[in-house]
Amino acid sequence: MKYQAILFDLDGVLCTTDRFHYEAWKQTAQEVRAPFDEQINQRLRGVSRMESLEIILEGSPLTLSGEEKLRLAEEKNDRYRALLSQLTPADMGEGVRDTLKRLRAAGLRLAVGSSSKNAGFILRQLQAEELFDAVCDGTQITHSKPDPEVFLKAAEQVETPPARCLVVEDASAGLEAARAGGMDCAILGDAEMPFAPTYHLDRLEELPGLIL
Ligand code: G6P
Ligand code: MG
């Protein structure tokens, strides 16, 4: 087999938390009088919480102190966490669960590589923790995507050289992170990408057919 491990992004790949991020950031944008729409939201995919705030602040007439920025990010996260508590195992489709089990049964090691500091909470809500051999998230890294750190650490945790890892992503920051880490990448969905990924998927369920 070409790959020995698959490294999955979480938000937008294994579950759709995007709508919660959108709702929670929308209020922040209103507070700082910045525009916010789907296009701006796309730019927040895969990037850390504080970097996301900086992107929103690009459209704000205000100049905020570091302390004010921290407060805004914290308040956004409180709203986001409240929304996340609605997540149930049904928010990870059966098709996704079956696909993960099939890949693992074929001998592949599976890991999560997410910029989110809420990844542990999300995986618990989805009751999906036992589907993975390792979880590397925003609490374990100092540079978020497009830096390859989260994927390189995840690869290390599943004891696999980068060249034998496949990353599954939905965001351009993730595609760039995979390339910077020397890994192939499958892109799920139709977001615009800066260059062609190794594979393109409309649904995660297509993955076993491509690589097994
Ligand atoms: C994921 C999402 C991003 C989010 C980041 C940090 O990568 O795609 O939109 O900004 O996680 O999430 P957090 O849960 O730590 O605020
Ligand atoms: Mg994502």
PDB file of all heavy atoms in Angstrom, residues 2-21:
ATOM      1  N   LYS A   2       0.412   2.239  -0.745  1.00  0.00           N
ATOM      2  CA  LYS A   2       1.171   3.484  -0.860  1.00  0.00           C
ATOM      3  C   LYS A   2       1.254   4.209   0.488  1.00  0.00           C
ATOM      4  O   LYS A   2       2.271   4.790   0.838  1.00  0.00           O
ATOM      5  CB  LYS A   2       0.485   4.372  -1.893  1.00  0.00           C
ATOM      6  CG  LYS A   2       1.259   5.636  -2.189  1.00  0.00           C
ATOM      7  CD  LYS A   2       0.736   6.343  -3.429  1.00  0.00           C
ATOM      8  CE  LYS A   2       1.563   7.589  -3.691  1.00  0.00           C
ATOM      9  NZ  LYS A   2       0.957   8.483  -4.646  1.00  0.00           N
ATOM     10  N   TYR A   3       0.149   4.194   1.231  1.00  0.00           N
ATOM     11  CA  TYR A   3       0.116   4.926   2.504  1.00  0.00           C
ATOM     12  C   TYR A   3       0.095   3.972   3.690  1.00  0.00           C
ATOM     13  O   TYR A   3      -0.390   2.854   3.609  1.00  0.00           O
ATOM     14  CB  TYR A   3      -1.112   5.837   2.547  1.00  0.00           C
ATOM     15  CG  TYR A   3      -1.146   6.799   1.391  1.00  0.00           C
ATOM     16  CD1 TYR A   3      -2.106   6.666   0.378  1.00  0.00           C
ATOM     17  CD2 TYR A   3      -0.208   7.819   1.290  1.00  0.00           C
ATOM     18  CE1 TYR A   3      -2.124   7.538  -0.699  1.00  0.00           C
ATOM     19  CE2 TYR A   3      -0.220   8.696   0.209  1.00  0.00           C
ATOM     20  CZ  TYR A   3      -1.172   8.545  -0.775  1.00  0.00           C
ATOM     21  OH  TYR A   3      -1.194   9.404  -1.853  1.00  0.00           O
ATOM     22  N   GLN A   4       0.625   4.525   4.784  1.00  0.00           N
ATOM     23  CA  GLN A   4       0.672   3.754   6.029  1.00  0.00           C
ATOM     24  C   GLN A   4      -0.219   4.427   7.080  1.00  0.00           C
ATOM     25  O   GLN A   4      -0.627   3.810   8.036  1.00  0.00           O
ATOM     26  CB  GLN A   4       2.129   3.792   6.495  1.00  0.00           C
ATOM     27  CG  GLN A   4       2.600   2.662   7.356  1.00  0.00           C
ATOM     28  CD  GLN A   4       4.108   2.836   7.590  1.00  0.00           C
ATOM     29  OE1 GLN A   4       4.896   2.817   6.639  1.00  0.00           O
ATOM     30  NE2 GLN A   4       4.501   3.051   8.835  1.00  0.00           N
ATOM     31  N   ALA A   5      -0.467   5.727   6.867  1.00  0.00           N
ATOM     32  CA  ALA A   5      -1.309   6.470   7.820  1.00  0.00           C
ATOM     33  C   ALA A   5      -2.127   7.525   7.085  1.00  0.00           C
ATOM     34  O   ALA A   5      -1.685   8.077   6.079  1.00  0.00           O
ATOM     35  CB  ALA A   5      -0.435   7.152   8.871  1.00  0.00           C
ATOM     36  N   ILE A   6      -3.322   7.787   7.619  1.00  0.00           N
ATOM     37  CA  ILE A   6      -4.167   8.867   7.094  1.00  0.00           C
ATOM     38  C   ILE A   6      -4.361   9.882   8.214  1.00  0.00           C
ATOM     39  O   ILE A   6      -4.733   9.517   9.338  1.00  0.00           O
ATOM     40  CB  ILE A   6      -5.562   8.360   6.648  1.00  0.00           C
ATOM     41  CG1 ILE A   6      -5.483   7.054   5.874  1.00  0.00           C
ATOM     42  CG2 ILE A   6      -6.284   9.442   5.838  1.00  0.00           C
ATOM     43  CD1 ILE A   6      -5.012   7.170   4.480  1.00  0.00           C
ATOM     44  N   LEU A   7      -4.100  11.159   7.891  1.00  0.00           N
ATOM     45  CA  LEU A   7      -4.228  12.234   8.873  1.00  0.00           C
ATOM     46  C   LEU A   7      -5.417  13.103   8.488  1.00  0.00           C
ATOM     47  O   LEU A   7      -5.404  13.744   7.433  1.00  0.00           O
ATOM     48  CB  LEU A   7      -2.942  13.074   8.912  1.00  0.00           C
ATOM     49  CG  LEU A   7      -1.615  12.281   8.921  1.00  0.00           C
ATOM     50  CD1 LEU A   7      -0.430  13.254   8.942  1.00  0.00           C
ATOM     51  CD2 LEU A   7      -1.550  11.324  10.112  1.00  0.00           C
ATOM     52  N   PHE A   8      -6.441  13.082   9.316  1.00  0.00           N
ATOM     53  CA  PHE A   8      -7.686  13.774   8.989  1.00  0.00           C
ATOM     54  C   PHE A   8      -7.776  15.128   9.667  1.00  0.00           C
ATOM     55  O   PHE A   8      -7.610  15.218  10.904  1.00  0.00           O
ATOM     56  CB  PHE A   8      -8.897  12.958   9.457  1.00  0.00           C
ATOM     57  CG  PHE A   8      -9.073  11.661   8.719  1.00  0.00           C
ATOM     58  CD1 PHE A   8      -8.474  10.505   9.187  1.00  0.00           C
ATOM     59  CD2 PHE A   8      -9.843  11.613   7.570  1.00  0.00           C
ATOM     60  CE1 PHE A   8      -8.641   9.305   8.517  1.00  0.00           C
ATOM     61  CE2 PHE A   8     -10.011  10.417   6.895  1.00  0.00           C
ATOM     62  CZ  PHE A   8      -9.407   9.259   7.367  1.00  0.00           C
ATOM     63  N   ASP A   9      -8.094  16.142   8.899  1.00  0.00           N
ATOM     64  CA  ASP A   9      -8.551  17.388   9.483  1.00  0.00           C
ATOM     65  C   ASP A   9      -9.906  17.073  10.141  1.00  0.00           C
ATOM     66  O   ASP A   9     -10.574  16.117   9.758  1.00  0.00           O
ATOM     67  CB  ASP A   9      -8.705  18.432   8.370  1.00  0.00           C
ATOM     68  CG  ASP A   9      -9.335  19.714   8.861  1.00  0.00           C
ATOM     69  OD1 ASP A   9      -8.919  20.205   9.927  1.00  0.00           O
ATOM     70  OD2 ASP A   9     -10.266  20.217   8.194  1.00  0.00           O
ATOM     71  N   LEU A  10     -10.288  17.867  11.126  1.00  0.00           N
ATOM     72  CA  LEU A  10     -11.546  17.572  11.838  1.00  0.00           C
ATOM     73  C   LEU A  10     -12.702  18.414  11.295  1.00  0.00           C
ATOM     74  O   LEU A  10     -13.608  17.889  10.640  1.00  0.00           O
ATOM     75  CB  LEU A  10     -11.341  17.828  13.340  1.00  0.00           C
ATOM     76  CG  LEU A  10     -12.549  17.626  14.254  1.00  0.00           C
ATOM     77  CD1 LEU A  10     -13.045  16.200  14.229  1.00  0.00           C
ATOM     78  CD2 LEU A  10     -12.186  18.030  15.690  1.00  0.00           C
ATOM     79  N   ASP A  11     -12.643  19.750  11.540  1.00  0.00           N
ATOM     80  CA  ASP A  11     -13.741  20.638  11.135  1.00  0.00           C
ATOM     81  C   ASP A  11     -13.876  20.675   9.618  1.00  0.00           C
ATOM     82  O   ASP A  11     -12.926  21.026   8.921  1.00  0.00           O
ATOM     83  CB  ASP A  11     -13.471  22.066  11.639  1.00  0.00           C
ATOM     84  CG  ASP A  11     -13.410  22.141  13.148  1.00  0.00           C
ATOM     85  OD1 ASP A  11     -14.471  22.275  13.755  1.00  0.00           O
ATOM     86  OD2 ASP A  11     -12.295  22.045  13.718  1.00  0.00           O
ATOM     87  N   GLY A  12     -15.033  20.308   9.113  1.00  0.00           N
ATOM     88  CA  GLY A  12     -15.261  20.355   7.662  1.00  0.00           C
ATOM     89  C   GLY A  12     -14.902  19.057   6.957  1.00  0.00           C
ATOM     90  O   GLY A  12     -15.179  18.908   5.769  1.00  0.00           O
ATOM     91  N   VAL A  13     -14.252  18.135   7.665  1.00  0.00           N
ATOM     92  CA  VAL A  13     -13.910  16.842   7.060  1.00  0.00           C
ATOM     93  C   VAL A  13     -14.647  15.712   7.773  1.00  0.00           C
ATOM     94  O   VAL A  13     -15.342  14.912   7.154  1.00  0.00           O
ATOM     95  CB  VAL A  13     -12.381  16.598   7.068  1.00  0.00           C
ATOM     96  CG1 VAL A  13     -12.053  15.154   6.708  1.00  0.00           C
ATOM     97  CG2 VAL A  13     -11.696  17.540   6.088  1.00  0.00           C
ATOM     98  N   LEU A  14     -14.499  15.652   9.099  1.00  0.00           N
ATOM     99  CA  LEU A  14     -15.147  14.582   9.864  1.00  0.00           C
ATOM    100  C   LEU A  14     -16.487  15.033  10.433  1.00  0.00           C
ATOM    101  O   LEU A  14     -17.328  14.220  10.796  1.00  0.00           O
ATOM    102  CB  LEU A  14     -14.224  14.111  10.994  1.00  0.00           C
ATOM    103  CG  LEU A  14     -12.887  13.526  10.526  1.00  0.00           C
ATOM    104  CD1 LEU A  14     -11.970  13.272  11.711  1.00  0.00           C
ATOM    105  CD2 LEU A  14     -13.104  12.238   9.740  1.00  0.00           C
ATOM    106  N   CYS A  15     -16.665  16.324  10.551  1.00  0.00           N
ATOM    107  CA  CYS A  15     -17.942  16.855  11.034  1.00  0.00           C
ATOM    108  C   CYS A  15     -18.107  18.286  10.533  1.00  0.00           C
ATOM    109  O   CYS A  15     -17.131  18.915  10.120  1.00  0.00           O
ATOM    110  CB  CYS A  15     -17.998  16.821  12.556  1.00  0.00           C
ATOM    111  SG  CYS A  15     -16.723  17.818  13.316  1.00  0.00           S
ATOM    112  N   THR A  16     -19.326  18.783  10.573  1.00  0.00           N
ATOM    113  CA  THR A  16     -19.575  20.138  10.067  1.00  0.00           C
ATOM    114  C   THR A  16     -19.845  21.100  11.225  1.00  0.00           C
ATOM    115  O   THR A  16     -20.986  21.330  11.593  1.00  0.00           O
ATOM    116  CB  THR A  16     -20.755  20.157   9.077  1.00  0.00           C
ATOM    117  OG1 THR A  16     -21.845  19.481   9.707  1.00  0.00           O
ATOM    118  CG2 THR A  16     -20.404  19.470   7.790  1.00  0.00           C
ATOM    119  N   THR A  17     -18.766  21.586  11.773  1.00  0.00           N
ATOM    120  CA  THR A  17     -18.858  22.580  12.851  1.00  0.00           C
ATOM    121  C   THR A  17     -18.842  23.995  12.262  1.00  0.00           C
ATOM    122  O   THR A  17     -18.990  24.966  13.006  1.00  0.00           O
ATOM    123  CB  THR A  17     -17.658  22.431  13.789  1.00  0.00           C
ATOM    124  OG1 THR A  17     -16.502  22.265  12.985  1.00  0.00           O
ATOM    125  CG2 THR A  17     -17.817  21.250  14.716  1.00  0.00           C
ATOM    126  N   ASP A  18     -18.660  24.088  10.948  1.00  0.00           N
ATOM    127  CA  ASP A  18     -18.520  25.388  10.269  1.00  0.00           C
ATOM    128  C   ASP A  18     -19.661  26.339  10.609  1.00  0.00           C
ATOM    129  O   ASP A  18     -19.454  27.536  10.798  1.00  0.00           O
ATOM    130  CB  ASP A  18     -18.502  25.224   8.749  1.00  0.00           C
ATOM    131  CG  ASP A  18     -17.713  24.032   8.294  1.00  0.00           C
ATOM    132  OD1 ASP A  18     -17.927  22.943   8.851  1.00  0.00           O
ATOM    133  OD2 ASP A  18     -16.897  24.190   7.377  1.00  0.00           O
ATOM    134  N   ARG A  19     -20.872  25.800  10.656  1.00  0.00           N
ATOM    135  CA  ARG A  19     -22.032  26.667  10.901  1.00  0.00           C
ATOM    136  C   ARG A  19     -21.959  27.282  12.298  1.00  0.00           C
ATOM    137  O   ARG A  19     -22.400  28.406  12.522  1.00  0.00           O
ATOM    138  CB  ARG A  19     -23.325  25.881  10.703  1.00  0.00           C
ATOM    139  CG  ARG A  19     -23.493  24.670  11.636  1.00  0.00           C
ATOM    140  CD  ARG A  19     -24.674  23.799  11.189  1.00  0.00           C
ATOM    141  NE  ARG A  19     -25.052  22.794  12.183  1.00  0.00           N
ATOM    142  CZ  ARG A  19     -24.420  21.644  12.391  1.00  0.00           C
ATOM    143  NH1 ARG A  19     -23.304  21.374  11.704  1.00  0.00           N
ATOM    144  NH2 ARG A  19     -24.844  20.774  13.288  1.00  0.00           N
ATOM    145  N   PHE A  20     -21.369  26.548  13.240  1.00  0.00           N
ATOM    146  CA  PHE A  20     -21.230  27.078  14.606  1.00  0.00           C
ATOM    147  C   PHE A  20     -20.153  28.169  14.659  1.00  0.00           C
ATOM    148  O   PHE A  20     -20.326  29.199  15.301  1.00  0.00           O
ATOM    149  CB  PHE A  20     -20.866  25.970  15.597  1.00  0.00           C
ATOM    150  CG  PHE A  20     -21.919  24.890  15.721  1.00  0.00           C
ATOM    151  CD1 PHE A  20     -21.550  23.583  16.016  1.00  0.00           C
ATOM    152  CD2 PHE A  20     -23.266  25.174  15.567  1.00  0.00           C
ATOM    153  CE1 PHE A  20     -22.509  22.580  16.142  1.00  0.00           C
ATOM    154  CE2 PHE A  20     -24.235  24.182  15.691  1.00  0.00           C
ATOM    155  CZ  PHE A  20     -23.851  22.874  15.984  1.00  0.00           C
ATOM    156  N   HIS A  21     -19.011  27.893  13.972  1.00  0.00           N
ATOM    157  CA  HIS A  21     -17.961  28.919  13.889  1.00  0.00           C
ATOM    158  C   HIS A  21     -18.548  30.193  13.277  1.00  0.00           C
ATOM    159  O   HIS A  21     -18.332  31.289  13.765  1.00  0.00           O
ATOM    160  CB  HIS A  21     -16.807  28.449  12.982  1.00  0.00           C
ATOM    161  CG  HIS A  21     -15.791  27.592  13.668  1.00  0.00           C
ATOM    162  ND1 HIS A  21     -15.042  28.032  14.738  1.00  0.00           N
ATOM    163  CD2 HIS A  21     -15.384  26.327  13.421  1.00  0.00           C
ATOM    164  CE1 HIS A  21     -14.218  27.067  15.113  1.00  0.00           C
ATOM    165  NE2 HIS A  21     -14.402  26.029  14.335  1.00  0.00           N
TER     166      HIS A  21
END
